[in-house]
Amino acid sequence: MSRPALVFIASLMICGSAFAGAPGPDRSGLSFDENVLINTACASARPKGDSAYYACVAKQVSVLQERRAPDRSALTPAQNKAIDDRCQYLRRTGVAAYYDCISESMPKPSAAVSETPGNG
């Protein structure tokens, strides 16, 4: 084989991963916060290798497709901070546990007081 052909083949092998695309599930449609949540949840799988990490990422992406973050837009900054402080540690556990904690920590709407007419 000629030298130019060997150089070409070697460069393809070195750069091959760039042509293959990013490994793991597509996360381009997720928000920044969702990606950070997945990275945090799967950080412990990273030392176990790419296969374990991408399996974790795939599982978390699947959970995100089934459930979205609870809507906290009506909460005050103080309420949001209190919820973040309470649930922060569950980010390492995964999307489901974290979102469950947020939902459980949100203030419940006050029950409407039903008035019954009294006898006068």
Side-chain angles (χ1 to χ4, degrees):
M1 199 175 256
S2 68
R3 181 173 167 90
L6 288 174
V7 170
F8 177 72
I9 291 172
S11 66
L12 282 178
M13 292 174 66
I14 292 170
C15 298
S17 62
F19 297 115
D26 179 20
R27 298 197 278 170
S28 62
L30 302 179
S31 71
F32 176 80
D33 290 337
E34 290 169 330
N35 275 294
V36 169
L37 181 56
I38 289 172
N39 290 342
T40 303
C42 296
S44 62
R46 179 64 89 180
K48 298 173 187 169
D50 288 345
S51 178
Y53 177 75
Y54 291 122
C56 178
V57 169
K59 179 180 176 186
Q60 298 304 315
V61 168
S62 174
V63 170
L64 278 173
Q65 290 171 343
E66 296 170 9
R67 60 198 310 185
R68 302 314 270 168
D71 181 13
R72 301 192 293 175
S73 61
L75 302 179
T76 67
Q79 289 171 320
N80 272 309
K81 182 173 178 354
I83 290 171
D84 284 339
D85 291 346
R86 178 166 189 244
C87 301
Q88 185 68 23
Y89 75 99
L90 288 169
R91 287 169 137 320
R92 293 185 304 271
T93 305
V95 172
Y98 180 65
Y99 284 176
D100 287 346
C101 180
I102 291 172
S103 293
E104 292 165 9
S105 300
M106 290 177 66
K108 305 296 181 243
S110 57
V113 178
S114 62
E115 296 182 27
T116 53
N119 293 336

